[in-house]
Amino acid sequence: MPAAQRLAIAQVTPFAWEVAGEVNHYVARVSDELADRGHRVLIIAPSESPELVRATRRALRDRAGELLDQADGQPVVLGVGEVLPFSPARRRAASLPIDVARTIESALTALPLDVVNMHEPFAPSASSAALRHSRALNVGSFHAPTERLLSTQLTRPLSRLLFSRLDARTASYQATRKLLQGFFPGDYRVIVPGADIGPAREPDGPPELVMIATEERSALRTFLRALRLLPATPAWHATVWTDRPTAPPATLGRLHDQVTFLDAEQCTQQEALTRADVLVMASDGDRAMPGTLISALGAGAVPVASRLAVYEEILADGQLGFMFEPGESQTLAAHLTRLVAEPELLAERAEEIRAHAGDLDFGRVADEFETVYTGLVARRHSPVGNGRVRKRLASRGLVDVDLHMHTDHSYDCATPVEVLLAEARARGLGAVAITDHNEI
């Protein structure tokens, strides 16, 4: 790649790097793709590894200039410290430890980056701290399609202040875009996540029905109720994968031999998906996991999902799978019964999904992000400036006007500069200096 197009990019995630999740997987795969294209990519993340955190802080202190050189060809992970995981049960968000914020500030101050991409930059988090301290062009990527009450209700003014520093915004889904525009108006470019495309699965036994039980607990109950309604013949088998060890419920009864529970210690989520003929997603909307649904399409599984806006979007309103109303175990059981009893229908839908899988490749995601990054860099002004304009303005007086004090209108930090300048021109001012008092 020509040096002029080679960018130094930081991807910032708010989640501990050692914890598997949709956002971290997304960051890792996009970073790999960008690094393969010649960009120098750093991943800035909280970490549960004291060794990684110590090594990161030592490198920032002693040899910060070498970190981008190490990122030549593959991403380099910088662990900035340990943070408490998000818990819906907590009544307030845990504050970001000061040592984590300082490490992020040191990294973004010492490293000459072109673009910093913050994922889920809601405060307080590593991503919001990066947005506060970044000196590069800032891109905010939003993934979750469900409302974060803390950020949209309690800390909305702070989030608006931070988001005013974003030069571009992306959303993983139309549902995410619509939700955010209601609370934080702006231009969000939708970049649908990718999936790891696996080989076509050859049928080698009864249909395998899989649930990835990372949604809310009620989703698993809906799935098990539906399984109890399935006939014993033709034969079928179900697998429930959880991210932590979970004992099968005592109420399984006759299903005990037909349902297997697996956890992350026995196999990965992706391995569970590769064995699936049918994937069931039964969220009622509180904790939708659209990334898992996309991964299932990449693995060639036929989805049966609850009718949520984000699931409908991914499945093209049912064209790529089957849908049922949230909590409707009888409708879910009817779909599963039909797929088990009609193997030709299952094979036909799997073939349609396989034909669509090319659009889910992470290379396409990297293409779209590269377009966003290069478009921002192309608009960046030269630090040298325009000598002729500087000379022409040198003789003019500078008037420092506080528009908050001298106008009848109320402005906040998110007010476009064009609006402030228009107000100044209407008052007959020549040169105007606009001061951000929030930075004082």
Side-chain angles (χ1 to χ4, degrees):
M1 174 176 288
Q5 300 176 12
R6 191 173 183 232
L7 302 178
I9 303 167
Q11 300 278 345
V12 187
T13 171
F15 304 106
W17 191 242
E18 295 78 14
V19 178
E22 292 185 1
V23 173
N24 281 355
H25 179 69
Y26 184 97
V27 169
R29 293 292 288 111
V30 170
S31 297
D32 287 339
E33 290 285 342
L34 292 171
D36 288 343
R37 298 167 187 226
H39 301 292
R40 295 177 295 171
V41 184
L42 299 174
I43 297 174
I44 299 176
S47 175
E48 297 176 348
S49 168
E51 294 79 11
L52 176 60
V53 174
R54 284 196 296 267
T56 297
R57 292 174 179 171
R58 186 164 53 248
L60 290 173
R61 184 178 63 250
D62 301 334
R63 48 186 181 84
E66 301 176 9
L67 287 175
L68 285 175
D69 295 332
Q70 295 176 10
D72 194 356
Q74 62 179 2
V76 171
V77 179
L78 303 182
V80 296
E82 189 170 5
V83 299
L84 291 175
F86 171 77
S87 171
R90 274 202 301 268
R91 298 184 64 87
R92 61 183 298 272
S95 60
L96 191 69
I98 191 169
D99 61 323
V100 174
R102 284 177 175 172
T103 304
I104 293 172
E105 181 180 8
S106 298
L108 298 182
T109 302
L111 300 172
L113 299 167
D114 295 301
V115 177
V116 179
N117 192 337
M118 299 86 174
H119 296 263
E120 303 287 29
F122 296 102
S125 68
S127 293
S128 66
L131 182 54
R132 179 183 177 188
H133 295 295
S134 172
R135 301 184 180 186
L137 295 166
N138 300 320
V139 178
S141 293
F142 301 87
H143 304 280
T146 52
E147 181 181 352
R148 296 169 177 261
L149 291 177
L150 178 72
S151 301
T152 57
Q153 304 298 331
L154 300 180
T155 64
R156 192 190 308 181
L158 175 60
S159 295
R160 280 183 173 172
L161 174 63
L162 286 172
F163 293 172
S164 68
R165 302 201 72 226
L166 292 173
D167 299 290
R169 309 182 190 197
T170 71
S172 288
Y173 312 99
Q174 291 288 353
T176 306
R177 177 178 179 270
K178 181 178 180 180
L179 174 69
L180 287 169
Q181 284 185 326
F183 296 103
F184 309 106
D187 183 15
Y188 297 83
R189 174 170 176 165
V190 176
I191 301 179
V192 179
D196 297 316
I197 310 301
R201 183 176 183 272
E202 296 295 332
D204 57 355
E208 185 73 23
L209 316 178
V210 173
M211 164 168 262
I212 304 298
T214 51
E215 301 169 308
E216 58 271 20
R217 293 174 63 89
S218 60
L220 178 57
R221 291 195 294 268
T222 299
F223 179 55
L224 294 178
R225 282 197 295 266
L227 293 183
R228 294 189 186 96
L229 298 175
L230 263 61
T233 55
W236 53 269
H237 184 267
T239 298
V240 176
W241 184 92
T242 59
D243 54 2
R244 63 195 65 182
T246 302
T251 55
L252 275 180
R254 67 176 181 84
L255 300 179
H256 191 273
D257 295 332
Q258 290 179 280
V259 181
T260 300
F261 278 72
L262 298 177
D263 57 61
E265 295 181 357
Q266 297 169 290
C267 71
T268 65
Q269 176 178 310
Q270 189 61 33
E271 289 171 342
L273 287 173
T274 57
R275 68 174 66 182
D277 294 300
V278 177
L279 176 81
V280 176
M281 303 289 292
S283 171
D284 59 15
D286 288 341
R287 196 180 178 189
M289 304 296 287
T292 301
L293 192 53
I294 291 179
S295 295
L297 293 175
V302 176
V304 182
S306 53
R307 193 173 293 280
L308 304 178
V310 66
Y311 288 172
E312 286 184 297
E313 178 185 338
I314 295 170
L315 298 184
D317 200 18
Q319 296 181 32
L320 296 176
F322 298 86
M323 310 205 75
F324 62 96
E325 294 300 323
E328 281 286 344
S329 56
Q330 291 184 336
T331 307
L332 171 58
H335 287 315
L336 296 179
T337 300
R338 185 183 178 194
L339 289 171
V340 168
E342 302 179 30
E344 64 281 358
L345 173 63
L346 183 60
E348 178 184 339
R349 282 303 181 96
E351 187 61 31
E352 293 173 357
I353 290 169
R354 182 65 55 184
H356 176 73
D359 297 334
L360 300 176
D361 184 70
F362 268 105
R364 185 264 311 161
V365 180
D367 285 341
E368 296 192 49
F369 270 108
E370 201 172 31
T371 299
V372 173
Y373 298 157
T374 55
L376 287 177
V377 171
R379 290 161 44 196
R380 184 168 52 188
H381 296 294
S382 169
V384 178
N386 189 318
R388 288 183 299 176
V389 174
R390 185 185 300 110
K391 184 177 180 180
R392 188 171 70 247
L393 295 177
S395 61
R396 300 187 183 182
L398 182 64
V399 180
D400 188 354
V401 178
D402 187 340
L403 293 179
H404 288 274
M405 297 292 293
H406 300 295
T407 72
D408 296 330
H409 303 285
S410 175
Y411 299 99
D412 60 24
C413 61
T415 303
V417 173
E418 290 81 1
V419 175
L420 301 178
L421 293 178
E423 175 72 18
R425 284 194 294 268
R427 293 173 174 269
L429 299 175
V432 180
I434 300 175
T435 303
D436 183 357
H437 292 280
N438 293 293
E439 298 292 336
I440 298 178

